Amino acid sequence: MEGVSVNYYIGLSAILFIIGVLGVLVRRNALVIFMSIELMLNAANLAFVAFSSVNNSLDGQIFVFFIMTVAAAEVAVGLALIVAIFRTKKSIDVDQINLLKG
Amino acid sequence: MTTDLILFLILAAVAIATAVGMLLSRNAVYSALFLVLNFSTVAVFYLLLGAPFIAITQVTVYAGAIMVLFLFVIMLLGTDELPERTVLPWQKPMAVFLAVVLMVEGVYLILTQKTPGLINNAPTESTGSPQAIGNLLFDQYLLPFEVTSILLLVAMVGAIVLTNKEKKGGQS
Amino acid sequence: MNFSEAANTGYFFLAPWLVFFPVIGLLFNMIFGGKMSEKAIGTVASLASGMAFVVSVLLAYSLSATHGHTVTVPFAEWIHIGELQLDWTFRIDTLSTVMMLVVSGVGTLIHIYAIGYMHEDVRFKDDVKRFRRFFVFLNLFIAMMMILVSGDSYLMLFVGWEGVGLCSFLLIGFWYDFDTLGQKSTANAEAGKKAFIANRVGDFGFLLAIFTTFWHFGSLQFDAVFKAAEAHPDPIVISAITLFMLIGVTGKSAQVPLYVWLPDAMAGPTPVSALIHAATMVTAGVYLVVRSAPLYNLVHGASYIVAMIGAVTALFAATIAVGQYDIKKVLAYSTISQLGFMVAAVGMGAYVAGIFHLATHAFFKALLFLSAGSIILGMERGHHHLAHGHDDHGDADAHHDEEEEVFDPGDMRNMGNLRKQMPVTFWLYMAGTLALAGIFPFAGFWSKDEILLDAKLHAEHFPGVYWLLSIAAFLTAFYMGRQIWMVFFGKERTEVAKHAEESPPVMTVPLMVLAVLAVLGGAMNLPFDGFHNLGHWLEHTLGHVEGLPLDLGVAGISTILALLAIFFSWLIYGKNPLKDGQPDPLKKPLGFLFTGMENKWFVDEGYGALVIKPFEKLAKFLSVTVDWNFWHDWFHDSVIYAGFKGLARFLSEPVDMGIINAIADKLADMTKRSSEGLSRLQNGFVRSYALSVLLGVVAILGYLLFK
């Protein structure tokens, strides 16, 4: 049976990752930025699983499992932060959060 | 062109399309929904790669729990579109330019790879099964597993403290 | 002789205690003397000196037991630099033991005498606290003199030489705020200064001698130098050394032309005059010549110069002594004259005679000085008695200053008929006088005769010396006779003389001991076969010495001269005693000659005009013109100050402000500007930061891929 070259998966992973990066850089909505970060994490996960499969090892999948756990925790805290910021700034525009400047 | 490849390409197109949709949607709710779709597509990839347990986890945790949380917060904070502002005029062109450059670099990297491995699309029973994962997780990776539980606890406490702060201590 | 061998056979190991005892004494008095009575202080000091005498006796005894072989006792390493190997070594030989015995013996007697003398002196001068200081100085002097005579090298000798010079200075200026009449003045201090400076000239010569010795012989140790000199006699170098040394001798032993300090040194308390300026320190020069005998033996020319200087000094000083009125001044010039005898003797190679006369002179001149001190104090007592009536001392001190007119207790014209008031002192003084005048059988007769005999025998090689010395001997007897008649006979010329009082036993007893020595001292070296004791004793150090027999011709002539002189003095001063206010009877017949004698031949004035005044002018020129006007006003102000100012201005304005400060300013400016630019990067927009991160990622990845 023929397989798909792992390069395709890596390429896909890279494209998704770059889209995530663009999301972080281009969008101003904090929530969208956060979602873009999740997308980047997902792209990384995809690469992990692809490598796990090509190497016939489960370690990559275990890693993805841990990444998901951390992502869950991150989302919980991150969203709490965004809520907290929104409460003070009445906005989720990251360009309005620029107090830390020289 | 094999069926595997065709399947992959179709799914990849869907994944990229949903990702771009998330990127370009004006409305955050749409973005979140596109992302759900994207996550689901990736879950299908996981299945194709012989990782059924991860695929299911992806659907339940990511597409389910996390994205629901997102949607909840979006609804909580309102979905108003942000007004157009040109605080950082160079941000967008620079970001696109750098992304293209990064893309070019990635393509170059992939094209110059010498021995691309093949993915066998027929997963064996033993590889990504929940049993195998469980065995590995509770044996070799027991300690990290337990540490993640603490991490989750801390995140939970942190989230509660962050969102509760104002009510208790007044304006800080 | 080997030290370890010698140490087993005698008391040589005690040698360092010659110095330690006096040092312990002076330290004890310095530290604890403040709370001790005068008697205790005097006893400690006298004991310290007495112990040094005991050590000297033990050393002499040990030396005789080892047949007079020279013993060196190494004590401490001192200077070891390259060729120069100098240790502090004690040299015990027959010559140094004679000196030690004389110094510590006479010194001890004078210490005891000084207890009584200073007790009164500090009260007349109203400063009781200086009593202790006096004995500290006196002990220091004994220690330094011991270093001088016991040193085994020229440098060690020089240490003692300078040390006694210091003590001399300190003691001449002991009453530094008085003059010799007891008035407030700096005269005594000036006298001390004069002595110090005159000695400095001599010491300079001695130092040159030491340098030349080391340069030529590579050593300063006596034996090494003499051995080298005898092995390769280089007449020019040795002449230079001996003549340089002679300068030192003329300074320390008060010979022409540097003798001028000694008469002024009488400003010191009388025990000092007796100990330092008559008996011991001034003989150091004689000792130095005897010590360097092997060198002087090699160069006849230098020896002749030494002998002539001694003889000329003997006569010259004797003539001045005739014209003096101060009792101590007469003795001072007498001392110079007698030192001239000694120097003449050692110059002629008659070392035994020189040392013999040195010893006897120490006895009778110390006796004379101390007796003179007794007389002066007696006069002072009489003066006080008159001035304060029958008040006791406590009240008297209160109105001390106001009613006292200037009175010179040492002026012989104020005396007369003192034999009535001070009989003990009179007889003691007579003994000393007869010894000095050279009357048979007193000590001076034997020693002076030996010198004259030597001069006669060596007249061929040392022409003139005999005649000069003979005339000096005649004058010696004359001025001593004059003194006796003026002081002890005739009528009292002042009220004070009528009330003069005899001195206490603490002063007269040491005088008696000295008087016995002055009478019998000649027994040391009688000119008969088998009695040349001193000669044989010194032979061990000086080589074979011919024991001279008594020459009736020389002895007869000198005795007749002495008796004639005393007769003349009786004719002039004894038969018709001097009246109060009457000028000296010699003044008329001798005319300008006597004026010269009276005024010390104007030597001081001559030195003043020839040396001191040009020197002062030069000093003034140097200080005013060169130092102040040129150096300070012109050089400092114009050159250094202005130059420095210009340089400072140049450095401050163009260099500092223009370059260094500008660099700093520009640096600060650049830093400020760049930081302003960079701070714009930190704009607070998290998206910009993320963009920067991406830029970094792209760059690094690109670098990794395309490197």
Side-chain angles (χ1 to χ4, degrees):
Chain A
M1 203 173 176
E2 297 164 75
V4 179
S5 168
V6 75
N7 278 358
Y8 289 103
Y9 282 97
I10 294 169
L12 177 62
S13 170
I15 291 166
L16 289 178
F17 185 86
I18 290 170
I19 292 170
V21 167
L22 272 174
V24 170
L25 294 178
V26 174
R27 299 300 299 266
R28 287 181 290 138
N29 190 322
L31 285 162
V32 177
I33 289 172
F34 208 10
M35 283 188 268
S36 301
I37 291 171
E38 294 302 317
L39 183 62
M40 285 154 77
L41 278 172
N42 235 301
N45 282 352
L46 184 59
F48 265 118
V49 175
F51 284 127
S52 165
S53 180
V54 86
N55 287 332
N56 226 351
S57 157
L58 279 180
D59 290 340
Q61 294 186 24
I62 297 290
F63 225 97
V64 170
F65 178 78
F66 285 127
I67 290 173
M68 280 181 182
T69 320
V70 172
E74 178 213 337
V75 166
V77 177
L79 286 176
L81 278 170
I82 288 170
V83 170
I85 290 167
F86 181 80
R87 279 185 185 156
T88 51
K89 301 287 277 188
K90 302 293 172 210
S91 166
I92 49 172
D93 185 350
V94 289
D95 282 359
Q96 290 193 355
I97 311 166
N98 62 347
L99 288 173
L100 272 176
K101 63 178 174 186
Chain B
M1 220 187 239
T2 61
T3 45
D4 283 339
L5 189 55
I6 293 167
L7 184 60
F8 172 82
L9 289 176
I10 293 167
L11 283 170
V14 172
I16 292 169
T18 51
V20 172
M22 181 218 71
L23 178 64
L24 297 178
S25 296
R26 288 258 155 261
N27 195 322
V29 181
Y30 293 168
S31 290
L33 290 175
F34 273 124
L35 198 58
V36 171
L37 206 53
N38 179 277
F39 285 167
S40 307
T41 318
V42 171
V44 176
F45 276 122
Y46 290 161
L47 278 173
L48 285 176
L49 287 167
F53 175 73
I54 297 296
I56 295 305
T57 318
Q58 170 89 354
V59 172
T60 51
V61 176
Y62 258 124
I66 292 178
M67 289 320 296
V68 166
L69 196 57
F70 263 101
L71 280 171
F72 177 75
V73 172
I74 291 166
M75 297 305 177
L76 183 70
L77 302 184
T79 56
D80 303 335
E81 282 190 28
L82 296 174
E84 276 300 322
R85 286 153 62 104
T86 49
V87 185
L88 296 166
W90 285 95
Q91 179 79 8
K92 200 174 268 180
M94 268 306 285
V96 173
F97 171 72
L98 285 177
V100 171
V101 172
L102 190 62
M103 194 70 220
V104 170
E105 283 174 348
V107 169
Y108 175 81
L109 192 61
I110 290 167
L111 288 181
T112 52
Q113 278 294 311
K114 279 174 186 138
T115 53
L118 281 175
I119 301 286
N120 195 343
N121 262 4
T124 51
E125 211 36 51
S126 59
T127 46
S129 69
Q131 191 188 355
I133 299 269
N135 279 339
L136 205 54
L137 205 54
F138 294 105
D139 181 17
Q140 195 180 339
Y141 292 102
L142 182 60
L143 183 65
F145 180 77
E146 295 297 339
V147 172
T148 51
S149 66
I150 295 170
L151 181 73
L152 286 171
L153 177 65
V154 171
M156 194 166 73
V157 172
I160 293 168
V161 168
L162 279 169
T163 47
N164 260 1
K165 206 173 179 184
E166 263 187 87
K167 285 180 190 168
K168 274 198 173 175
Q171 193 73 34
S172 60
Chain C
M1 175 176 265
N2 188 310
F3 169 64
S4 56
E5 205 183 312
N8 296 332
T9 55
Y11 296 100
F12 295 115
F13 66 93
L14 285 174
W17 289 93
L18 286 171
V19 177
F20 288 165
F21 276 124
V23 168
I24 289 170
L26 84 90
L27 288 177
F28 191 85
N29 274 340
M30 258 170 83
I31 297 167
F32 304 110
K35 288 178 183 161
M36 283 158 52
S37 70
E38 287 186 358
K39 258 183 199 154
I41 292 171
T43 309
V44 167
S46 306
L47 265 181
S49 174
M51 289 302 286
F53 178 65
V54 171
V55 172
S56 306
V57 170
L58 287 173
L59 289 173
Y61 168 75
S62 308
L63 203 56
S64 68
T66 53
H67 310 291
H69 289 294
T70 299
V71 175
T72 53
V73 182
F75 175 64
E77 283 187 8
W78 186 26
I79 303 175
H80 284 187
I81 306 168
E83 254 186 274
L84 184 65
Q85 301 283 319
L86 281 174
D87 295 326
W88 184 2
T89 303
F90 288 86
R91 182 187 181 89
I92 314 299
D93 61 14
T94 49
L95 174 60
S96 61
T97 44
V98 169
M99 292 298 290
M100 289 170 199
L101 286 169
V102 171
V103 170
S104 57
V106 177
T108 305
L109 291 172
I110 291 172
H111 270 75
I112 296 167
Y113 170 91
I115 299 174
Y117 183 90
M118 291 312 289
H119 173 80
E120 295 191 47
D121 201 20
V122 293
R123 279 167 181 75
F124 288 139
K125 301 249 179 9
D126 265 341
D127 194 349
V128 185
K129 279 179 189 158
R130 290 196 208 179
F131 186 87
R132 167 166 66 135
R133 188 189 304 167
F134 182 81
F135 281 94
V136 169
F137 288 164
L138 225 50
N139 269 351
L140 179 65
F141 170 77
I142 296 285
M144 284 302 171
M145 197 67 202
M146 284 303 180
I147 290 176
L148 195 163
V149 298
S150 66
D152 190 38
S153 67
Y154 279 109
L155 202 67
M156 218 49 229
L157 195 155
F158 187 71
V159 170
W161 184 277
E162 289 297 313
V164 292
L166 169 69
C167 293
S168 164
F169 166 75
L170 291 171
L171 286 164
I172 293 168
F174 186 73
W175 296 111
Y176 51 81
D177 42 1
F178 289 91
D179 64 11
T180 43
L181 301 182
Q183 303 298 302
K184 288 275 177 187
S185 146
T186 56
N188 287 358
E190 303 266 343
K193 196 173 77 183
K194 186 173 176 184
F196 205 71
I197 292 172
N199 266 303
R200 196 89 352 249
V201 178
D203 295 346
F204 175 67
F206 187 21
L207 265 181
L208 287 180
I210 291 177
F211 295 155
T212 316
T213 305
F214 182 69
W215 168 68
H216 191 71
F217 298 119
S219 173
L220 291 175
Q221 203 271 334
F222 292 135
D223 290 331
V225 170
F226 301 152
K227 208 172 278 173
E230 274 155 17
H232 307 285
D234 182 340
I236 295 171
V237 174
I238 295 174
S239 295
I241 292 172
T242 49
L243 289 176
F244 282 144
M245 224 176 257
L246 179 62
I247 300 175
V249 171
T250 56
K252 192 62 80 189
S253 284
Q255 298 297 294
V256 172
L258 292 177
Y259 71 91
V260 286
W261 64 273
L262 187 61
D264 289 28
M266 297 305 129
T270 303
V272 172
S273 308
L275 177 61
I276 300 183
H277 306 119
T280 55
M281 183 189 85
V282 289
T283 62
V286 180
Y287 171 74
L288 176 63
V289 176
V290 178
R291 182 48 89 198
S292 311
L295 296 180
Y296 281 94
N297 286 340
L298 291 171
V299 278
H300 176 261
S303 301
Y304 185 53
I305 294 175
V306 175
M308 275 314 282
I309 282 188
V312 168
T313 307
L315 179 58
F316 188 74
T319 59
I320 297 177
V322 172
Q324 297 302 306
Y325 299 108
D326 189 285
I327 186 166
K328 279 175 77 179
K329 281 273 163 71
V330 173
L331 292 176
Y333 281 103
S334 162
T335 302
I336 298 171
S337 170
Q338 296 303 306
L339 287 166
F341 272 85
M342 295 175 218
V343 170
V346 297
M348 291 183 299
Y351 302 113
V352 175
I355 294 291
F356 184 27
H357 195 57
L358 187 157
T360 56
H361 175 258
F363 299 146
F364 60 68
K365 192 49 68 67
L367 171 63
L368 284 171
F369 261 116
L370 296 183
S371 305
S374 171
I375 291 164
I376 291 169
L377 271 189
M379 294 288 284
E380 285 257 24
R381 286 183 210 113
H383 183 223
H384 265 251
H385 183 78
L386 274 185
H388 307 307
H390 296 288
D391 290 354
D392 51 332
H393 266 299
D395 286 348
D397 288 343
H399 40 98
H400 185 267
D401 296 275
E402 61 212 52
E403 59 182 275
E404 216 159 5
E405 81 279 24
V406 180
F407 171 79
D408 188 353
D411 193 330
M412 295 191 291
R413 285 171 297 192
N414 290 334
M415 302 175 186
N417 204 19
L418 283 181
R419 75 176 188 281
K420 249 189 202 154
Q421 322 299 339
M422 308 180 75
V424 179
T425 306
F426 166 66
W427 286 111
L428 294 167
Y429 206 89
M430 278 305 288
T433 302
L434 294 175
L436 174 56
I439 305 298
F440 179 85
F442 291 87
F445 169 77
W446 304 107
S447 56
K448 193 182 286 183
D449 238 40
E450 198 170 328
I451 294 175
L452 289 172
L453 180 56
D454 272 307
K456 182 99 189 272
L457 290 176
H458 295 110
E460 207 178 311
H461 300 294
F462 299 94
V465 174
Y466 175 69
W467 295 110
L468 289 169
L469 291 183
S470 293
I471 300 168
F474 172 80
L475 286 174
T476 304
F478 180 78
Y479 63 67
M480 285 316 291
R482 170 177 179 259
Q483 204 173 31
I484 292 287
W485 304 124
M486 280 178 86
V487 174
F488 291 106
F489 292 91
K491 285 232 169 71
E492 299 92 339
R493 282 182 288 279
T494 53
E495 275 299 298
V496 173
K498 280 179 192 157
H499 293 87
E501 288 167 23
E502 184 57 274
S503 296
V506 70
M507 289 167 70
T508 51
V509 169
L511 291 181
M512 290 171 196
V513 177
L514 282 170
V516 170
L517 288 169
V519 175
L520 301 178
M524 277 191 293
N525 200 28
L526 294 176
F528 307 111
D529 275 345
F531 290 96
H532 296 290
N533 296 323
L534 186 66
H536 289 309
W537 177 250
L538 290 174
E539 250 177 5
H540 299 299
T541 305
L542 298 170
H544 180 67
V545 175
E546 191 76 44
L548 296 174
L550 181 66
D551 186 314
L552 280 176
V554 173
I557 290 172
S558 72
T559 308
I560 290 165
L561 280 176
L563 289 172
L564 259 180
I566 292 174
F567 175 69
F568 281 140
S569 68
W570 176 78
L571 273 182
I572 298 166
Y573 298 99
K575 208 168 134 195
N576 301 305
L578 216 59
K579 306 263 180 335
D580 191 12
Q582 184 193 344
D584 197 287
L586 274 182
K587 201 163 192 148
K588 237 182 193 172
L590 287 181
F592 72 92
L593 272 181
F594 191 80
T595 314
M597 293 174 180
E598 217 175 357
N599 292 299
K600 310 154 192 170
W601 299 113
F602 301 100
V603 170
D604 277 336
E605 286 78 1
Y607 279 175
L610 283 176
V611 180
I612 296 168
K613 210 168 245 165
F615 187 79
E616 277 174 349
K617 268 194 187 144
L618 179 67
K620 198 166 184 187
F621 170 75
L622 285 175
S623 77
V624 173
T625 311
V626 175
D627 185 58
W628 193 251
N629 289 344
F630 171 74
W631 202 245
H632 174 268
D633 283 356
W634 184 77
F635 188 75
H636 277 92
D637 285 1
S638 308
V639 179
I640 296 182
Y641 174 68
F644 189 79
K645 209 170 163 187
L647 182 67
R649 184 173 294 145
F650 170 72
L651 285 176
S652 76
E653 278 169 21
V655 177
D656 187 52
M657 294 302 288
I659 298 173
I660 296 171
N661 192 48
I663 290 174
D665 279 355
K666 281 276 149 32
L667 269 178
D669 215 38
M670 276 165 59
T671 312
K672 201 177 162 196
R673 259 179 232 191
S674 58
S675 64
E676 271 169 5
L678 287 171
S679 79
R680 223 167 284 153
L681 285 179
Q682 197 200 352
N683 52 10
F685 295 112
V686 70
R687 293 194 305 149
S688 295
Y689 303 162
L691 192 66
S692 310
V693 172
L694 181 62
L695 183 65
V697 168
V698 169
I700 290 170
L701 191 59
Y703 171 75
L704 289 175
L705 286 176
F706 304 110
K707 66 178 173 184

